[in-house]
Amino acid sequence: MSELIVIGYDDHEAAVKAFATVQKLRDERVVTLTGLAVVKVDDDGETHVDTPARREEIAVSATAGALWGLVFGILILTPGIGVVGAALGGLIGKLTQMGVDNGFRKKVSDLLEPGSAAVVIMASKITEDRFAAAMEPFGGTVLKTSLPEESERELAEQLAGPAA
């Protein structure tokens, strides 16, 4: 089971420091990441995303990268379902089945107001007490949900499309 954790901050600098700490915790094997990003919402409301891949070379499987990109994109960049294509609608439906419901997405959206920032973490393994202790100095608002492994596999298969 993976944990999807979003930690919101009032300013970008605090989020960047927390982001660096999560990377350190990854190196110390306190957390096993399948996705990590820092999101900044500028004063005009535009969203800017930075990931470890932009800062350093990390190895991520194509499936994990695609899954993370999809989860992150739908969670953060799609504020509401509204009118979407059939494929995207199906994927949003799959995320809803996985437990990433509209309520959680709305909480994340509300957290990301202009001038704010967040660290978004998708972890397949986490040592909760050590992680919480390391992140405590940064404060922030923590939102968390779980993604069952079976649902992740189903989503990855759906992303891959029909077998040839």
Side-chain angles (χ1 to χ4, degrees), residues 70 74 78 80-93 158:
L70 175 73
I74 291 173
T78 307
I81 295 177
V83 178
V84 296
L88 184 56
L91 293 172
I92 291 171
Q158 188 169 353

Side-chain angles (χ1 to χ4, degrees), residues 25-103:
L25 294 171
R26 176 203 60 206
D27 295 343
E28 294 171 358
R29 301 184 192 274
V30 171
V31 62
T32 302
L33 299 174
T34 50
L36 175 64
V38 64
V39 179
K40 176 184 177 183
V41 182
D42 66 23
D43 292 335
D44 295 327
E46 290 191 36
T47 304
H48 306 275
V49 180
D50 196 4
T51 62
R54 290 185 180 179
R55 293 172 179 246
E56 62 182 52
E57 294 286 324
I58 62 170
V60 177
S61 72
T63 301
L67 176 63
W68 170 245
L70 175 73
V71 169
F72 181 75
I74 291 173
L75 180 68
I76 303 295
L77 304 177
T78 307
I81 295 177
V83 178
V84 296
L88 184 56
L91 293 172
I92 291 171
K94 178 57 77 177
L95 283 175
T96 299
Q97 291 172 11
M98 291 170 61
V100 181
D101 63 12
N102 288 337

